[in-house]
Amino acid sequence: ATRFEGVSETRAQYGAKPMPPAYSPARAQYVPNDARCEGLSTTQSDYRAWPIQPPPPKPQPPPQPPATRFEGVSETRAQYGAKPMPPAYSPARAQYVPNDARCEGLSTTQSDYRAWPIQPPPPKPQPPPQPPATRFEGV
């Protein structure tokens, strides 16, 4: 296979145009100021917080129960009062009677199951015990 060495018509007509060099402004040099910084801005120095104390809380009178008991009936209770509930329906429980006949049928799972003979995996070989690397220097 030979490699194409030519230039396509699109590349010849619409090729990459030369880019102008990127503009980079001159870096500003830091010039220190002779004015002293007192740590407050104009707003902080002109608008200081006034020393205001919150007013003391007013004593609340203890709640007084009404002198007489309310004997009336509200409009809602008069129109939509409690209605008697009908007794709950509970059907009689059926007595369980076991069947003495033996089930001779097979389920689809039992009929489709086939036991495959599986050999147990061989035991892994154990490496021989190694003597300790350090010498025992006991008394």
Side-chain angles (χ1 to χ4, degrees), residues 41-121:
S41 67
T42 308
T43 305
Q44 288 174 331
S45 64
D46 291 348
Y47 300 100
R48 300 223 179 228
W50 294 356
I52 298 176
Q53 297 294 328
K58 295 180 180 176
Q60 293 287 337
Q64 297 293 328
T68 59
R69 188 167 182 259
F70 179 70
E71 298 288 339
V73 177
S74 68
E75 186 72 21
T76 303
R77 181 169 290 216
Q79 290 183 8
Y80 308 104
K83 305 286 191 279
M85 293 289 295
Y89 173 73
S90 59
R93 295 190 93 190
Q95 180 83 15
Y96 173 70
V97 180
N99 193 345
D100 295 335
R102 184 157 189 246
C103 179
E104 298 289 336
L106 286 175
S107 67
T108 53
T109 304
Q110 289 172 331
S111 63
D112 293 344
Y113 176 74
R114 203 165 49 166
W116 295 94
I118 298 175
Q119 299 294 330

